[in-house]
Amino acid sequence: MSRLEDIKRIVDNMLLGIENLADRRDGYVHLYGVADFACTIALKRGHGREYAELAYMAGLLHDYEKYRTGSGKDHARKSAEAVKILLQECKFLSEIEIETIYEAIYYHSHKEQIHTEFDEILKDADVMEHWLKDPAVQVTKDNERVRKLCSEFNFNKFEV
């Protein structure tokens, strides 16, 4: 089994523990959606497959504690800390890879700040997934990020 499949199994097991079906569905849609967008953005920005795989992992894990506990309070920090322990226990990622994922998850709620290129990919993927759930809705939060993503992906007909 690949390390990506191992991560998916961890996330799926956590999500299956959510009793409320709507919350479970939201978790699947959001986590897998952000993972797909993170991978896509990494590749679009010229990174290789291994980098894109790490971006996918970060996307899949970025709200881990929010869905596991049902609490969004301080979820970025809590998710980063929980994920770091999970990944260290798995022993299939290097310390540098674990730290890269940890940092991106830790900072993903700080959308108004600019961090590393990897961190920005996760932030943009999170924003894109939220926006594309209903692109007809006028965005009020993260307007500048959505505007830049629309330009990057040639979604020129959308006014943000």
Side-chain angles (χ1 to χ4, degrees), residues 53-139:
E53 178 191 48
L54 280 185
Y56 188 96
M57 289 180 194
L60 199 54
L61 294 163
H62 81 285
D63 280 347
Y64 185 86
E65 281 296 288
K66 177 179 177 180
Y67 287 103
R68 191 185 73 75
T69 65
S71 172
K73 184 175 169 76
D74 199 21
H75 76 280
R77 181 187 61 78
K78 290 176 182 175
S79 292
E81 291 171 1
V83 163
K84 187 173 192 175
I85 292 167
L86 277 172
L87 295 178
Q88 287 169 335
E89 290 172 354
C90 292
K91 300 186 188 308
F92 51 70
L93 292 171
S94 71
E95 279 302 315
I96 292 171
E97 290 172 321
I98 292 170
E99 192 61 33
T100 299
I101 291 170
Y102 167 84
E103 192 174 285
I105 293 171
Y106 188 90
Y107 290 121
H108 86 270
S109 291
H110 298 259
K111 307 261 190 331
E112 71 288 347
Q113 298 172 354
I114 303 298
H115 293 94
T116 70
E117 186 173 3
F118 191 85
D119 299 350
E120 294 305 302
I121 288 171
L122 180 58
K123 291 178 197 179
D124 287 346
D126 193 25
V127 166
M128 186 175 236
E129 195 284 329
H130 283 294
W131 177 66
L132 286 176
K133 279 182 184 170
D134 192 351
V137 172
Q138 184 69 25
V139 177

Side-chain angles (χ1 to χ4, degrees), residues 1-10 49 53 56-57 60 87 90-93:
M1 189 178 288
S2 76
R3 63 189 195 167
L4 190 54
E5 287 302 316
D6 287 339
I7 298 290
K8 289 177 182 179
R9 187 176 34 79
I10 290 167
R49 290 166 51 179
E53 178 191 48
Y56 188 96
M57 289 180 194
L60 199 54
L87 295 178
C90 292
K91 300 186 188 308
F92 51 70
L93 292 171

Side-chain angles (χ1 to χ4, degrees), residues 5-73:
E5 287 302 316
D6 287 339
I7 298 290
K8 289 177 182 179
R9 187 176 34 79
I10 290 167
V11 171
D12 288 347
N13 286 336
M14 178 272 293
L15 290 169
L16 287 171
I18 299 173
E19 290 184 28
N20 181 289
L21 292 180
D23 291 343
R24 186 184 310 159
R25 181 188 64 230
D26 181 61
Y28 272 108
V29 169
H30 183 63
L31 296 179
Y32 277 91
V34 172
D36 285 341
F37 287 129
C39 181
T40 301
I41 292 168
L43 293 170
K44 174 116 173 63
R45 293 179 183 172
H47 297 285
R49 290 166 51 179
E50 289 180 13
Y51 191 97
E53 178 191 48
L54 280 185
Y56 188 96
M57 289 180 194
L60 199 54
L61 294 163
H62 81 285
D63 280 347
Y64 185 86
E65 281 296 288
K66 177 179 177 180
Y67 287 103
R68 191 185 73 75
T69 65
S71 172
K73 184 175 169 76

